[in-house]
């Protein structure tokens, strides 16, 4: 068939194909009973429905699927094969323990996969197969203990990979093979102590690497240098004691390096000589009393030194001269000598520093340096005579990293004979009912000691004597019910004490007095039932206190008072029936408060008033809340950044206009009753440019609608018309059109408006086809 009739026939066929047929219309309007479907945007939400499998009957054209808060546990093969148009898939808080091989096959258009806050311990090699378009993968807050090479090989388009808050201790070679376009890799808040030299090979596009809050004892220069395109490297909160040129850090494009809040006691002058573009160096919160002029990073412009015990004696003169010559802005203050104590480093001149020849100055310097404790010795190379490094028979000792490990060897007693310069000792998963006196006497350089899962019921007096540089002590998952001050003598620099999952009935207050520099105390999942005055005496340096998962029913006023520097307090999953307002007095710098999972039921006025000047993050989710007084958050004001109220029993909530700088508020999983009583909340939420997750549970006519968008529910309320009248002509001109007669308000946007847009699109396509023909 040729000629004009042929062309007309072809055009008619193409037009029929473009028009929505019965099958398409049926697929677009079906929706599982437990879900909320927004067909206009192709979004489906099935949150917090206790689903054990992916629901059937989800429209095939769905692009965004939200399954948060269900009980899926296992993602079987091809679980989403019937949804080929998905671009966003949210599986957070679904108790997922296993992702089967091929679980996501068929999702070739998926851009975001969120598997955060689940129970994954491993990823099968082909678990992520078929995700060739994926741009972002969220795996944070799982239980991943290892990464198998090849796990990410199919993710060639991935830009961001988030593995923070897992249990990784080691990165093998080629761990991220296939991630050719990944720009940001997040590995913070793990337990990484070793990186294979080629662990980061195969990441040509990597620009940002987050490794803060890990267990790195030495700078893994060879491994980091594989990611040669790095511009920002975050290594803060690692127990690094020294960094020098011998670490081999070579990153030609590095602009920002964060080494804050570690254990640095010395820094080599050429530590960053092979990072020529380094612009900003963060060394805050370390143990540096002096710093040499840095050679190599010629573009350095910012040096952060706050929180270091800087000694502004004669030996600091070269540093000041270099800072002025190189035009490097710095901060930090002098710890001594007495006449310069508290002086800002950036206002001093070299002539302000006294040099040898002043007997009074020399004597004062000797006294104060002696009181500060021993400094880290300079590194020495391996012995040239090839002498064998000592190591107990059942253990492995690695001279390069100064790590020794006897993990899981069935040992009945703490072995001896480790290298004297050992910095990390791993004795996990053995069986030591007791740790005897002077068990680690020859390990004066030890920084991190791992004794988890050893069946320890007690530490004898003097068990840790000789560990003068110990910063991290892990005693989690043992049988401890108490600790004495004598047991913790000899570790004056201990900053992190891990006592989770033991048998403590109370906070071991007497023992904590022996730890003047304790920074973080972990007592989660014990059987502590109350906090009383005296429990935290002597913890003036404490910043983080974790008491989640205990049986606490009472926090007495004054119990937290001694911890004046406390920034983070976790009291979630306890038995508190009210906010311990009185106990929160005297915490002037508290930033984060976790109270989720307590049977609170109600919040009274002024519940958080003592924290008004400091609090930034407040967690009240899953607390059985039924009522919140209008003044419950009074005083928090503009400082609060995030408020978590999800998974409660709130039917109503007052407007919270005082919280003017919120960046996150989560109200999902609450049975809100959308009537005129909720109008103030609707108005307040409408003014927030945030996704809050609040939906109507009742009345039936509003069920499933977002409180923020349920305009039809509130239009009949007294005061609605007055508010409309106050709008300016400009705002009225941009308001929503009046609903068509006979149609429910808002339905035009979902129904007619969508069909109109589709019609225009199809007309454009049809016109284009005719033009081509």
């Amino acid at each position: 068939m040729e000629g004009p009739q042929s062309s007309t026939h072809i055009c008619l066929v193409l037009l029929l194909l473009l028009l929505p047929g019965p099958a398409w219309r049926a697929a677009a309007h079906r929706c599982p009973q437990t879900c909320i479907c927004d067909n206009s945007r192709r979004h489906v939400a099935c949150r917090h429905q206790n689903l054990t499998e992916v629901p059937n009957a989800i429209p095939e054209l769905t692009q965004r699927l939200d399954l948060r808060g269900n009980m899926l546990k296992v993602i079987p093969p091809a679980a989403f094969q019937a949804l080929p148009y998905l671009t966003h898939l949210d599986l957070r808080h679904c108790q997922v323990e296993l992702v089967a091989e091929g679980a996501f096959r068929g999702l070739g258009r998926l851009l975001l996969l969120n598997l955060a806050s689940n129970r994954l311990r491993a990823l099968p090699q082909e678990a992520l197969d078929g995700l060739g378009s994926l741009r972002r993968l969220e795996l944070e807050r799982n239980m991943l203990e290892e990464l198998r090479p090849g796990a990410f090989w199919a993710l060639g388009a991935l830009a961001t990979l988030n593995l923070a808050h897992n249990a990784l201790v080691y990165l093998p070679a080629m761990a991220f093979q296939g991630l050719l376009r990944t720009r940001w890799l997040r590995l913070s808040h793990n337990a990484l102590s070793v990186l294979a030299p080629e662990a980061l090979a195969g990441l040509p596009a990597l620009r940002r690497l987050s490794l803060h809050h890990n267990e790195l004892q030495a700078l893994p220069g060879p491994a980091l240098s594989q990611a040669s395109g790095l511009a920002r490297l975050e290594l803060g909160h690692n127990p690094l004691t020294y960094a020098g040129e011998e670490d081999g850090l070579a990153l030609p494009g590095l602009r920002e390096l964060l080494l804050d809040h570690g254990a640095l006691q010395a820094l080599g002058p050429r530590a960053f000589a092979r990072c020529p573009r380094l612009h900003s160096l963060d060394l805050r919160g370390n143990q540096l009393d002096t710093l040499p002029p840095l050679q190599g990073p010629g573009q350095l412009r910012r040096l952060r030194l706050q929180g270091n015990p800087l000694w502004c004696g004669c030996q600091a003169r070269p540093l000041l001269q270099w800072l002025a010559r190189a035009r490097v802005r710095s901060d930090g203050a002098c710890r001594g000598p007495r006449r310069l104590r508290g002086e800002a480093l950036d206002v001093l001149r070299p002539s302000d520093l006294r040099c040898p020849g002043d007997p009074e100055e020399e004597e004062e310097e000797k006294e104060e340096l002696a009181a500060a404790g021993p400094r880290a010795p300079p590194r020495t190379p391996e012995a040239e005579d090839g002498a064998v490094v000592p190591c107990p028979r059942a253990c492995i000792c690695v001279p390069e990293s100064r790590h020794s490990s006897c993990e899981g060897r069935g040992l009945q007693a703490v072995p001896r004979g480790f290298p004297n310069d050992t910095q990390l000792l791993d004795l996990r998963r053995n069986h030591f009912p007791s740790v005897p006196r002077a068990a680690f006497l020859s390990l004066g350089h030890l920084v991190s000691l791992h004794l988890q899962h050893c069946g320890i019921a007690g530490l004898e007096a003097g068990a840790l004597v000789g560990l003068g540089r110990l910063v991290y002590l892990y005693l989690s998952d043992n049988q401890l019910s108490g600790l004495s001050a004598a047991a913790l003598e000899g570790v004056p620099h201990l900053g992190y004490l891990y006592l989770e999952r033991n048998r403590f009935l109370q906070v071991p207050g007497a023992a904590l007095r022996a730890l003047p520099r304790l920074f973080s105390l972990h007592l989660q999942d014990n059987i502590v039932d109350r906090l009383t005055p005296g429990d935290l005496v002597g913890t003036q340096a404490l910043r983080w206190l974790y008491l989640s998962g205990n049986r606490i029913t009472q926090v007495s006023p004054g119990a937290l008072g001694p911890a004046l520097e406390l920034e983070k307090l976790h009291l979630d999953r306890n038995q508190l029936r009210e906010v311990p307002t009185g106990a929160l007095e005297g915490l002037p710098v508290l930033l984060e408060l976790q109270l989720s999972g307590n049977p609170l039921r109600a919040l009274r006025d002024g519940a958080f008033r003592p924290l008004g000047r400091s609090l930034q993050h407040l967690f009240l989710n899953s607390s059985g809340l039924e009522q919140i007084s209008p003044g419950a958050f009074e005083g928090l004001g503009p400082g609060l950044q995030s408020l978590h109220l999800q998974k409660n029993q709130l039917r109503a909530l007052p407007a919270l206009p005082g919280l003017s700088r919120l960046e996150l508020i989560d109200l999902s999983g609450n049975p809100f009753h959308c009537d005129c009583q909720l109008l103030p909340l609707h108005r307040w939420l409408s003014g927030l440019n945030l996704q809050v997750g609040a939906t109507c549970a009742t009345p039936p006519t509003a069920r499933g609608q977002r409180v923020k968008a349920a305009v039809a529910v509130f239009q009949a309320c007294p005061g609605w018309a007055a508010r409309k009248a106050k709008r300016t002509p400009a705002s009225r001109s941009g308001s929503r059109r009046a609903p068509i007669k006979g149609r429910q308000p808002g339905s035009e946007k979902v129904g007619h408006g969508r069909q109109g847009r589709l019609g225009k699109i199809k007309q454009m396509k049809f016109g284009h086809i005719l033009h081509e023909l």
Side-chain angles (χ1 to χ4, degrees), residues 210-245:
S210 302
L211 279 165
H212 53 90
H213 291 88
N214 275 285
E215 297 299 323
L216 296 170
Q217 310 285 323
L219 198 64
L224 296 172
S225 299
Q226 293 286 329
S228 57
L230 275 179
R232 179 180 172 92
L233 176 57
E234 299 162 8
L235 286 166
H237 296 273
N238 278 280
L240 298 164
T241 57
Y242 174 83
E245 186 177 16

Side-chain angles (χ1 to χ4, degrees), residues 98-128:
L98 174 65
V99 175
E101 293 185 2
F104 304 108
R105 283 188 187 136
L107 299 184
R109 302 184 184 187
L110 199 68
L111 302 176
L112 167 63
L113 174 58
N114 198 330
L115 280 162
S117 301
N118 282 292
R119 300 176 180 177
L120 291 170
R121 293 185 180 274
L123 282 175
Q125 195 162 13
E126 297 183 11
L128 304 171

Side-chain angles (χ1 to χ4, degrees), residues 340-654:
L340 294 177
R341 184 171 296 161
E343 287 288 336
L345 191 66
D346 60 354
V347 302
L348 294 177
R349 296 171 297 177
S351 58
D352 294 328
L353 311 183
R354 295 179 183 172
C355 289
D358 185 332
E360 181 181 346
E361 187 79 8
E362 288 183 352
E363 185 62 28
E364 183 181 346
E365 183 169 344
K366 287 179 183 178
E367 291 177 3
E368 298 208 26
L369 285 177
R375 290 180 50 197
R379 276 196 182 173
T380 56
E382 288 187 45
E384 297 180 0
D385 58 4
V388 177
V389 176
C391 190
R393 181 186 300 178
C395 306
I396 299 172
C397 303
V398 184
E400 293 81 7
S401 62
R402 302 184 186 183
H403 295 176
S404 298
S405 176
C406 318
E407 181 183 357
R409 299 305 173 93
L411 300 174
Q412 302 294 312
V414 177
R416 297 182 182 271
F418 294 101
N420 291 340
D421 64 350
T422 298
Q423 293 184 342
L424 183 146
L425 178 57
D426 191 345
L427 294 170
R428 282 180 288 182
R429 301 187 187 278
N430 288 288
H431 189 67
F432 315 133
S434 178
V435 179
R437 177 178 175 78
F440 311 98
L441 191 57
S442 63
L443 300 177
H445 294 271
L446 200 65
V447 174
S448 185
L449 176 58
H450 294 256
L451 290 166
Q452 305 99 306
H453 294 281
C454 285
I456 298 171
L459 274 68
E460 294 183 6
L464 305 176
V465 69
L467 300 182
R469 294 181 183 164
L470 193 69
V471 176
Y472 295 84
L473 176 58
Y474 295 85
L475 286 163
S476 316
D477 298 284
N478 282 293
Q479 307 296 319
L480 291 166
S481 58
L483 277 175
S484 67
L488 295 180
E489 285 180 356
V491 286
H493 290 89
L494 193 73
Y496 298 79
L497 179 58
Y498 295 83
L499 297 170
E500 309 101 306
R501 295 175 295 281
N502 277 281
R503 298 180 177 180
F504 286 94
L505 290 165
Q506 60 186 38
V507 175
L512 300 182
R513 294 170 195 157
L515 305 175
R517 298 193 182 184
L518 188 63
F519 184 95
S520 180
L521 175 60
H522 296 251
L523 269 167
Q524 304 99 305
D525 299 298
N526 280 277
I527 47 178
V528 178
D529 62 359
R530 64 185 61 210
L531 284 179
T532 59
D535 284 348
L536 297 176
V537 170
T539 60
Q540 290 87 348
L542 191 67
R543 301 288 182 89
W544 303 340
L545 177 58
Y546 300 93
L547 288 161
S548 313
N550 280 279
R551 302 176 183 175
I552 297 173
T553 59
Q554 179 183 355
V555 183
S556 300
L560 302 169
L564 291 172
E565 299 296 319
L566 201 64
E567 296 176 350
K568 189 182 297 187
L569 175 60
H570 285 202
L571 288 165
D572 49 305
R573 296 185 292 114
N574 277 284
Q575 300 299 318
L576 293 169
R577 296 192 175 276
E578 60 180 18
V579 177
T581 308
L584 299 177
E585 295 280 358
L587 298 178
V589 295
L590 194 72
L591 301 175
E592 179 179 313
L593 177 59
Q594 269 270 14
L595 288 170
S596 55
N598 283 282
L600 297 176
R601 299 193 66 179
L603 296 181
R604 54 184 174 80
D605 287 344
F608 305 100
R609 190 178 290 118
L611 307 177
R613 295 185 178 181
S614 64
L615 197 65
Q616 296 179 1
H617 307 285
L618 178 57
F619 295 81
L620 293 161
N621 47 297
S622 304
S623 297
L625 286 172
E626 300 174 358
Q627 181 181 357
I628 295 181
S629 298
F633 303 109
E634 180 185 352
L636 292 182
L640 197 68
Q641 297 175 14
S642 69
L643 176 59
H644 299 258
L645 286 165
Q646 67 269 29
K647 296 184 183 179
N648 280 294
Q649 300 300 316
L650 294 169
R651 290 172 55 81
L653 181 69

